């Protein structure tokens, strides 16, 4: 074993190692806390003065990190933060937890990873361990990060050590947290993996070593590609059920009773979030450079991308059944976050649905108990921004020509919606449990008949 590795392993074992975390967001800050909880000195790095001041003041800006826990570690001197990247020289290990967004043509934007790597390279010294956590395409660690780090002449695997270990943070998950979620890790060399396992084996409950950094990079994009494709299958099933006039929720709930060989996914208004819609495109982008088409990803992405328009079509049909046009109709969208019980609007299909409805002339407003207002993010131009969340009164429900359940926050009283709304388009299957006065149109299957049909059935003439 090299003396450098030996020294790093002993500093790790004795907890004398200082661990740097670059990027103090929803991945980096929880990691910094777990590093401190494991007895290491954690030194957070961020480009934002505001973030650094908040951390030093014991004020958490991340949902899964309580300010009291953060403040306690800062008070004990186990956790600190700085915008001074020259202090990376103080660290025995550096974890990169920065964003890897896609650009407008869905190509990976590695600028944050490159900047972080260049920051580390400026003070790279023998014996340091670098672990990249940001989700990215296979080959990034070896082909993008390594050349930057080896620029100064040090050699990975001999002078310093490099691993990839994908973040698996699910913000707000009540069961799976940073420490107890199994942690995949792969090294550039066997020695690199040994160094990474020595550190992360003391921070995480379960390590999952794999044969290379590329394998570890691929595990993460595969996990989320699996999810994206199965969601697309559920969405395609919803479209097929629409043609078959079968309730897709009946089909999925019944299929989910199969105790083996089946995994439940549900259809919805489209795919939101900063992981599932984006991560598969890292793989498809990489495979295109190798002249290989990931057709499943392309097709699934197309199907998921159709859902906002599919929902708007359902709204238009539901209004049409009542001899109303979309143009001029009062449409109240219930829930705009990308998934229930969070306030995150990133890539939310609700924004596409609202824009499409506005484009058709509808008067669109929204109610979301987790999102106070929608501001211009530069992506989804909505007219009249910022839009404030409406108060969900009975009068407001009754006044809407149609209420569209887009995000099924559990804090909304859907029985009340069923009682006071006239017409509901339900993209999440939540109204099925709340029969009421409202006419409900689901993603598929036979909606409750429109008033005219009901009156006709009862032999009554429809008046007015
Ligand atoms: N969605 C569906 N149908 C489903 C599941 C999700 O339409 O059956 C939609 C959601 O409404 C949302 C989007 O997909 O718009 C993404 O939802 P998600 O439940 O996958 O939540 P995310 O984006 O927060 O995904 C994260 C991921 N975590 C990491 O990448 C570390 C993902 O791997 C997790 O599986 C997921 O959380 C989770 O299970 O909560």
């Amino acid at each position: 074993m090299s003396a450098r590795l030996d020294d790093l392993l002993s500093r790790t074992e004795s907890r004398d190692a200082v661990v740097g975390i670059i990027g103090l967001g929803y991945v980096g800050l929880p990691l910094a806390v777990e590093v401190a909880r494991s007895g290491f000195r954690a030194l957070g790095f961020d480009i934002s003065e505001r973030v650094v001041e908040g951390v030093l003041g014991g004020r958490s800006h991340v949902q899964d990190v309580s300010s009291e826990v953060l403040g306690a570690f800062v008070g004990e001197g186990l956790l600190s933060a700085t915008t001074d990247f020259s202090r990376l020289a103080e660290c025995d290990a550096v974890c990169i937890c920065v964003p890897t967004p896609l650009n407008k043509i869905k190509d990976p934007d590695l600028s944050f990873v490159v900047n972080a790597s260049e920051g580390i390279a400026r003070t790279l010294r023998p014996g340091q361990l670098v672990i990249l956590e940001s989700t990215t395409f296979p080959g990034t660690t070896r082909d993008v990060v390594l050349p930057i780090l080896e620029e100064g002449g040090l050699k990975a695997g001999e002078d310093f050590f490099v691993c990839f270990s994908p973040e698996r943070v699910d913000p707000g998950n009540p069961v799976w947290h940073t420490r107890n979620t199994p942690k995949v890790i792969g090294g550039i060399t066997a020695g690199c993996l040994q160094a990474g396992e020595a550190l992360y084996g003391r921070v995480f409950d379960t390590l999952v070593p794999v044969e290379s950094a590329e394998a570890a990079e691929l595990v993460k994009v595969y996990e989320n590609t699996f999810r994206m494709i199965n969601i697309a299958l559920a969405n395609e099933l919803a479209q097929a059920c629409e043609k078959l006039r079968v309730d897709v929720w009946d089909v999925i709930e019944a299929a989910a009773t199969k105790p083996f060989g089946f995994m439940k996914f549900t259809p919805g208004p489209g795919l939101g979030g900063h992981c599932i819609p984006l991560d598969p495109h890292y793989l498809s982008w990489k495979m295109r450079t190798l002249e290989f088409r990931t057709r499943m990803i392309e097709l699934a992405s197309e199907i998921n991308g159709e859902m906002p328009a599919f929902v708007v079509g359902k709204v238009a049909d539901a209004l049409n059944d009542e001899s109303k046009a979309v143009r001029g109709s009062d449409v109240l969208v219930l829930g705009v976050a990308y998934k229930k019980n969070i306030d995150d609007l990133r890539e939310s299909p609700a924004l596409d649905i609202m824009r499409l409805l506005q484009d058709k002339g509808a008067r669109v407003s929204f109610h979301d108990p987790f999102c106070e207002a929608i501001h211009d993010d530069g992506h989804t131009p909505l007219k009249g921004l910022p839009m404030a969340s409406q108060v969900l009164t009975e009068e407001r429900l009754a006044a809407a020509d149609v209420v569209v359940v887009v995000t099924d926050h559990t804090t909304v009283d859907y029985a009340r919606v069923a009682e006071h709304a006239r017409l509901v388009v339900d993209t999440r299957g939540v109204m099925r449990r709340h029969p009421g006065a409202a006419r409900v149109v689901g993603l598929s299957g036979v909606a409750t008949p429109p008033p005219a049909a009901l009156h006709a059935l009862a032999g009554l003439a429809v008046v007015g």
Side-chain angles (χ1 to χ4, degrees):
M1 185 187 306
S2 77
R4 307 235 189 270
L5 178 57
D6 198 23
D7 177 52
L8 178 60
L9 294 179
S10 63
R11 286 180 59 76
T12 302
E13 189 173 6
S14 65
R15 298 303 195 281
D16 291 328
V18 176
V19 182
I21 298 98
I22 301 179
L24 297 176
Y26 79 93
V27 175
L29 191 60
L31 176 59
V33 165
E34 290 312 321
V35 163
R37 200 193 306 276
S38 308
F40 295 98
R41 236 166 31 86
L43 179 52
F45 293 83
D46 205 288
I47 55 177
S48 162
E49 288 277 1
R50 183 181 54 78
V51 166
V52 168
E53 281 162 20
V55 170
L56 293 176
R59 297 185 303 279
S60 172
H61 59 286
V62 169
Q63 173 181 2
D64 295 335
V65 175
S66 73
S67 293
E68 45 272 29
V69 168
L70 176 63
F73 284 123
V74 171
E76 288 169 45
L78 272 174
L79 202 166
S80 185
T82 180
T83 56
D84 177 3
F85 279 63
S86 69
R87 294 189 58 191
L88 282 163
E90 298 170 30
C91 301
D92 298 280
V94 182
C95 308
I96 305 175
C97 303
V98 297
T100 44
L102 293 179
N103 64 21
K104 289 206 184 315
I105 53 172
K106 291 198 187 308
D107 286 355
D109 171 2
L110 291 184
S111 58
F112 297 98
V113 170
V114 168
N115 290 342
S117 304
E118 288 169 348
I120 296 167
R122 277 192 283 276
T123 58
L124 187 67
R125 56 177 170 75
Q128 280 186 312
L129 165 64
V130 178
I131 300 179
L132 177 59
E133 291 231 349
S134 309
T135 304
T136 185
F137 58 84
T140 301
T141 306
R142 191 181 305 275
D143 305 333
V144 176
V145 174
L146 216 55
I148 295 171
L149 297 179
E150 292 186 326
E151 190 76 38
L154 295 180
K155 185 87 179 96
E158 294 166 21
D159 302 310
F160 67 99
F161 310 98
V162 182
C163 290
F164 182 83
S165 179
E167 60 91 359
R168 279 179 164 174
V169 176
D170 182 25
N173 191 310
V175 176
W176 297 104
H177 311 295
T178 293
R179 177 175 289 275
N180 71 348
T181 301
K183 196 77 162 77
V184 172
I185 185 165
I188 291 295
T189 66
C192 293
L193 177 58
Q194 194 177 354
E197 285 184 290
L199 173 61
Y200 272 13
R202 291 175 168 86
V203 177
F204 297 91
D205 293 347
T206 311
L207 281 196
V208 183
V210 292
E211 65 184 25
S212 65
E214 286 80 2
E217 290 161 333
L218 192 48
V219 165
K220 175 58 189 278
V221 286
Y222 172 61
E223 288 168 356
N224 284 355
T225 298
F226 164 81
R227 192 166 177 80
M228 189 270 272
I229 286 176
N230 280 283
I231 292 168
L233 178 59
N235 283 328
E236 184 168 66
L237 178 70
Q239 296 183 37
C241 284
E242 166 73 356
K243 299 283 182 200
L244 295 165
R245 299 186 66 68
V246 169
D247 184 333
V248 68
W249 302 105
D250 270 350
V251 172
I252 288 175
E253 296 304 335
T257 61
K258 183 177 180 188
F260 49 84
F262 181 80
M263 197 169 172
K264 179 183 175 184
F265 288 87
T266 56
L271 208 53
H274 48 284
C275 298
I276 305 305
L278 307 185
D279 294 356
H281 291 284
Y282 290 114
L283 183 56
S284 51
W285 177 87
K286 175 64 181 178
M287 297 320 293
R288 281 200 299 274
T289 68
L290 301 174
E291 294 172 15
F292 179 88
R293 269 189 63 209
T294 51
R295 289 159 294 168
M296 293 282 282
I297 293 175
E298 289 170 18
L299 179 57
S301 186
E302 190 183 312
I303 292 168
N304 289 327
E306 287 166 354
M307 292 312 286
F310 180 77
V311 168
V312 170
K314 300 291 291 184
V315 173
D317 291 347
L319 287 168
N320 187 56
D321 286 346
E322 303 191 355
S323 306
K324 290 181 181 173
V326 174
R327 182 168 299 284
S329 286
D330 174 347
V331 180
L332 176 64
V333 171
L334 276 195
V336 292
Y338 81 78
K339 70 175 182 180
K340 64 182 166 187
N341 301 341
I342 62 168
D343 63 359
D344 196 333
L345 283 170
R346 282 177 290 186
E347 306 293 324
S348 175
L351 301 176
D352 297 317
I353 289 168
M354 292 167 77
R355 179 174 49 74
L356 290 170
L357 286 166
Q358 283 189 336
D359 290 350
K360 289 179 178 293
R363 289 181 289 117
V364 181
S365 58
F366 77 95
H367 167 76
D368 188 309
F370 291 81
C371 299
E372 296 288 308
I374 298 176
H375 298 280
D376 183 0
D377 63 359
H379 288 303
T380 318
L382 282 169
K383 298 188 195 89
L385 285 179
M387 290 169 82
S389 177
Q390 305 250 313
V391 179
L392 197 62
T393 61
E394 290 158 9
E395 294 73 23
R396 183 70 195 92
L397 285 166
D401 292 301
V402 58
V403 174
V404 190
V405 179
V406 176
T407 307
D408 49 338
H409 293 307
T410 53
T411 54
V412 171
D413 181 350
Y414 296 102
R416 186 162 164 257
V417 175
E419 191 182 339
H420 296 286
R422 288 178 283 174
L423 172 62
V424 181
V425 173
D426 174 14
T427 72
R428 297 287 191 173
V430 286
M431 298 302 293
R432 301 166 76 238
R433 296 186 287 275
H434 303 287
R439 185 163 83 84
V440 177
V441 174
L443 271 183
S444 74
V446 181
T448 45
L454 282 174
H455 286 287
L457 282 174
L460 300 173
V462 177
V463 178

